[in-house]
Each structure stands twice: as C-alpha cells, then as structure tokens.
Amino acid sequence: QLGLDRINLKSHESAYAASLRSFLSRWGTLPSRSRHSAGVITRQEVASMVPAAILSLESHHTVLDLCAAPGSKTLQVADGLAS
C-alpha cells in the first residue's frame, strides 16, 4: 500500500506524491504529458491480487482465465506459472 488513493495521488501536493506521480508517469500506466509511458508498472487493487495468490500455482498447471480484461490477474497467474 502506498498510503495514497488514486484521487489523492493526482492532487496531493506533498513531495512524496509528486515524486510518485513522476515515477509512475515515466514507468507506470499514468499518462504523462507526452502520452508515452513504459508500462512497467500497473495499478491493481489488493482484492484483485487474491485469486492468483490463493491458487498455489506450479509450472505444470494449466489456467484458463475467462475474465481477462484488463489482464492484471492474468499477468499475475502467468508470473506464478513461470516461477
């Protein structure tokens, strides 16, 4: 947890929030002024992380994700299968 919700992340004037906004604009999915970002980091609610965490995935498992939009849980599952 970052200690800032998405609304405060956009408007909070602390040095922490400004630094985090700058970092996410460059590496994350927050659109920057140039509309380019690396897409290395994506925001995800804690509740969305639970399904992949409780599956106890192993590399030999096969997973069919029928609700794969926007795909953050799918990426977590794929990461679990790869490790």
Side-chain angles (χ1 to χ4, degrees):
Q1 296 292 330
L2 300 174
L4 290 172
D5 61 23
R6 62 187 170 136
I7 294 168
N8 285 322
L9 177 61
K10 294 177 183 177
S11 62
H12 203 273
E13 296 186 18
S14 71
Y16 170 70
S19 176
L20 186 55
R21 269 194 308 272
S22 174
F23 177 82
L24 291 174
S25 291
R26 180 177 176 118
W27 297 107
T29 57
L30 292 179
S32 63
R33 288 191 176 127
S34 66
R35 298 285 185 213
H36 299 306
S37 66
V40 175
I41 299 172
T42 58
R43 186 184 75 80
Q44 184 177 18
E45 298 292 332
V46 174
S48 295
M49 298 177 195
V50 173
I54 64 172
L55 285 175
S56 300
L57 295 168
E58 297 179 19
S59 61
H60 65 276
H61 288 156
T62 301
V63 178
L64 175 61
D65 185 356
L66 298 175
C67 302
S72 54
K73 285 187 262 334
T74 304
L75 288 173
Q76 278 188 283
V77 168
D79 186 51
L81 292 172
S83 48

